[in-house]
Amino acid sequence: MDYQSAVLPAGIGWLLLAIFSVVWVALGIHWGRKAKDLTGFMVAGRNVGLALGTATAMATWVTSNTVMLAPQFAIQFGIWGMLAYSTASFGLFLFAPMARRIRHLMPNGFTSGDFVRLRYGKATWAVFLVITVFYSLTWLISMAMAGGIVLNTIAGIPYEYGMSVILLVCVLYTLFGGLYAVIGTDYIQSVLIMLGVVFVGGVMLSQIELSTVYENVLADQPALLNILLPASLMVIFNNLLFGFGEIFHNNVWWSRAFAMRKGIGRKAYLLAGLCWLPIPVAAGFFSLGAAPLGINVTSPDMVGPLVATQVLGLAGAIIIFVVVFSSLASSIDSLLAATSDIMTEDIFRKALYPNASEATLRKASAFIIVGLGLLAWLVSLPRIGTLMDVLFFAGPMVASAIWPIAAGLYWKTTNRTGALCALLLGSAGGLVAYFLIGPFVAALVGAALSMLMVVISTWLAPEDFDWELLNEKHHEPKPEAELV
Amino acid sequence: MTLFSAGFVQAIILGSLFLTGLGALLLIVLLAFDFKNKKVW
């Protein structure tokens, strides 16, 4: 890949990385003291308030893509590209009432897997676990790779070192602090991201007129202003459905719903969506403003760093570094925690060792976090290329989960066979569409087939599900001494 | 080709920067309230 040269001297990049690493791990150790038991470690005591709840939902959804890829969308797909990227926030909006419902129906729940198992039985649970673990691993690996690439492009830090450090830091503070550390650092990261974007954008506005930006685009690339640019319209739908599927099914979001205090979930997710919505548009402005600022962009994903450096010099480069580090860490830590939770709770405890003690489960969780970090590191190290194709590949599988999850939460008549078939048919059909038509329709086809299956099976063979069955009375894992 | 107007483009850019800043302020205010009411976590 041909990148324009780094905007930040490597020495400063390393210094910033070192400072953040030490501070974040220290915070992990400090907040980890609050996690007195498994409930504390996995769902932060189920008492997270509105501020931290909003911040963690928003920060987790901000990845390095939001800041680095959104400008690229603006260059490729124009105004609709920026707006299309923003539609990913709709997943947060739609999950808001679901977060409340989840908390109400499952006051003792830990994972999205718990819901699928209790609602639809073991067969559907098994298929769901395959989908969600595969997707989560892919996402985690893609974030680790993005970390290495981005730190290399911004500060010239060698890919292997940057990727390794950011992964190690996230593993360490997640290991020490569990969801408390993840949520606490997410708060700091979300404020840093938003302030960074606003500051750079604000300084840009002081140096160029918006009318000049518009005239520039109109003269050079009028297609970017086209209201009916077909490619953009396809991107909107694919982004929307991918976002819904990802947020509805993934334990990253469910664990937060379980972690938030009662009455907080709906408000937090709504506010998180509102906080997230404008960020891709603001980031897209960076790329539209590049030409009037006299910046010649040859690597579209470097637009953000280049613009920030142009308007603010070294300070701008530092701000971008901090914003990107924050967006990477906020996603990697969430994936580590949520994936380890689902593997500990669903596979280790529920499937294999139902009588495992508290200490055994904490140990299992720790091993799994380290194991996930190691796996991500090993796969990322050779830098095999972009994982976007693999992520799109997972799109139909993830989209196939939208209707079984949504219907399962609200319709007591949706039956388990219908849900299982919806997952299988949606995934298979979507994958066929992926290969025969293209990646951008795969999620749409997967979601549509899944929807048809859920609706038809519910109509033909309505169940009468007892919602009380979701209120699983966990026997709390016994302390080690009592098992002897 | 029907194009987005200059006014619309300017509005969404200014609006997005404004909302992003407002979001940051909101988070800070919310945390202050949660601290005051001892409801942080």
Side-chain angles (χ1 to χ4, degrees):
Chain A
M1 230 184 205
D2 178 26
Y3 286 107
Q4 290 179 260
S5 53
V7 297
L8 194 64
I12 297 183
W14 273 114
L15 180 64
L16 287 171
L17 195 56
I19 291 170
F20 273 99
S21 301
V22 167
V23 171
W24 258 229
V25 173
L27 286 173
I29 294 170
H30 173 66
W31 283 327
R33 292 193 198 117
K34 297 175 72 65
K36 305 262 187 279
D37 54 18
L38 201 67
T39 302
F41 190 80
M42 285 173 72
V43 289
R46 304 187 194 276
N47 204 36
V48 173
L50 186 57
L52 294 188
T54 303
T56 189
M58 180 245 150
T60 302
W61 208 214
V62 178
T63 66
S64 60
N65 286 339
T66 316
V67 180
M68 305 281 280
L69 199 57
Q72 196 172 338
F73 261 55
I75 289 178
Q76 267 181 277
F77 302 111
I79 301 299
W80 267 129
M82 289 156 60
L83 296 173
Y85 212 106
S86 287
T87 61
S89 62
F90 291 8
L92 293 171
F93 292 136
L94 283 182
F95 194 73
M98 287 171 63
R100 179 165 133 179
R101 181 112 176 119
I102 288 164
R103 192 72 172 80
H104 167 68
L105 289 174
M106 301 179 67
N108 303 306
F110 282 98
T111 67
S112 51
D114 278 343
F115 169 76
V116 175
R117 174 178 51 83
L118 294 166
R119 183 67 181 82
Y120 293 127
K122 288 191 176 168
T124 313
W125 180 44
V127 172
F128 177 78
L129 284 179
V130 168
I131 292 174
T132 197
V133 171
F134 172 69
Y135 180 75
S136 299
L137 279 175
T138 312
W139 190 9
L140 173 64
I141 292 164
S142 74
M143 286 292 104
M145 284 176 61
I149 291 169
V150 156
L151 294 179
N152 178 241
T153 55
I154 293 180
I157 295 172
Y159 168 82
E160 298 78 10
Y161 296 141
M163 181 271 294
S164 303
V165 170
I166 198 161
L167 206 43
L168 178 66
V169 168
C170 290
V171 165
L172 284 176
Y173 74 76
T174 307
L175 193 60
F176 292 137
L179 202 61
Y180 278 116
V182 169
I183 287 177
T185 53
D186 277 355
Y187 180 87
I188 300 170
Q189 282 150 190
S190 58
V191 174
L192 286 174
I193 289 165
M194 288 192 279
L195 289 179
V197 167
V198 167
F199 191 64
V200 173
V203 174
M204 274 178 76
L205 282 180
S206 71
Q207 296 188 9
I208 48 171
E209 297 282 337
L210 280 177
S211 53
T212 311
V213 172
Y214 184 84
E215 279 152 29
N216 229 288
V217 176
L218 185 62
D220 293 342
Q221 294 172 285
L224 297 186
L225 299 170
N226 186 0
I227 288 177
L228 294 174
L229 191 59
S232 313
L233 297 173
M234 278 245 293
V235 167
I236 289 170
F237 282 107
N238 198 68
N239 234 39
L240 257 178
L241 286 169
F242 205 130
F244 290 164
E246 186 172 320
I247 292 180
F248 281 23
H249 97 279
N250 200 284
N251 196 48
V252 164
W253 314 101
W254 283 67
S255 60
R256 277 151 180 77
F258 291 127
M260 294 179 200
R261 197 167 49 249
K262 259 197 154 175
I264 294 296
R266 188 168 65 111
K267 285 181 250 184
Y269 273 96
L270 275 174
L271 286 175
L274 285 172
C275 287
W276 197 94
L277 179 83
I279 293 178
V281 179
F285 169 47
F286 293 174
S287 64
L288 296 182
L293 284 169
I295 299 170
N296 180 30
V297 179
T298 58
S299 311
D301 51 354
M302 276 295 283
V303 161
L306 286 170
V307 164
T309 313
Q310 174 77 10
V311 298
L312 282 164
L314 183 62
I318 290 173
I319 288 171
I320 280 292
F321 185 96
V322 169
V323 167
V324 167
F325 175 90
S326 298
S327 56
L328 284 164
S330 63
S331 303
I332 293 174
D333 64 10
S334 302
L335 283 161
L336 282 169
T339 313
S340 114
D341 286 352
I342 211 164
M343 291 174 82
T344 304
E345 166 73 3
D346 287 78
I347 299 174
F348 189 86
R349 173 149 86 161
K350 287 287 174 349
L352 298 174
Y353 303 106
N355 294 318
S357 70
E358 169 94 14
T360 306
L361 289 169
R362 285 291 292 261
K363 262 190 220 147
S365 182
F367 272 114
I368 291 169
I369 289 172
V370 172
L372 287 171
L374 194 58
L375 176 65
W377 182 75
L378 285 169
V379 175
S380 303
L381 203 55
R383 195 170 170 179
I384 50 179
T386 177
L387 272 180
M388 287 312 292
D389 288 341
V390 183
L391 266 180
F392 275 122
F393 183 84
M397 294 190 268
V398 153
S400 75
I402 295 173
W403 276 87
I405 297 281
L409 279 170
Y410 291 99
W411 297 348
K412 58 186 340 193
T413 46
T414 298
N415 64 72
R416 50 184 60 195
T417 308
L420 174 63
C421 293
L423 284 180
L424 294 171
L425 183 67
S427 299
L431 286 171
V432 166
Y434 178 93
F435 289 111
L436 290 186
I437 308 172
F440 280 118
V441 298
L444 183 60
V445 170
L449 288 172
S450 172
M451 178 189 77
L452 278 171
M453 179 53 70
V454 165
V455 168
I456 291 171
S457 63
T458 302
W459 175 55
L460 287 176
E463 205 177 277
D464 184 21
F465 184 74
D466 179 5
W467 296 119
E468 265 307 302
L469 292 174
L470 292 176
N471 186 3
E472 189 176 34
K473 307 282 192 284
H474 278 289
H475 53 272
E476 280 305 318
K478 296 185 172 64
E480 198 73 49
E482 285 190 33
L483 290 174
V484 173
Chain B
M1 210 163 43
T2 313
L3 302 181
F4 286 108
S5 68
F8 177 80
V9 173
Q10 290 176 31
I12 61 168
I13 289 171
L14 285 173
S16 69
L17 288 171
F18 175 73
L19 284 175
T20 306
L22 199 63
L25 192 62
L26 176 73
L27 284 183
I28 294 167
V29 168
L30 283 177
L31 188 65
F33 270 112
D34 279 349
F35 258 120
K36 183 166 166 269
N37 298 321
K38 295 189 172 53
K39 286 185 173 180
V40 175
W41 52 10

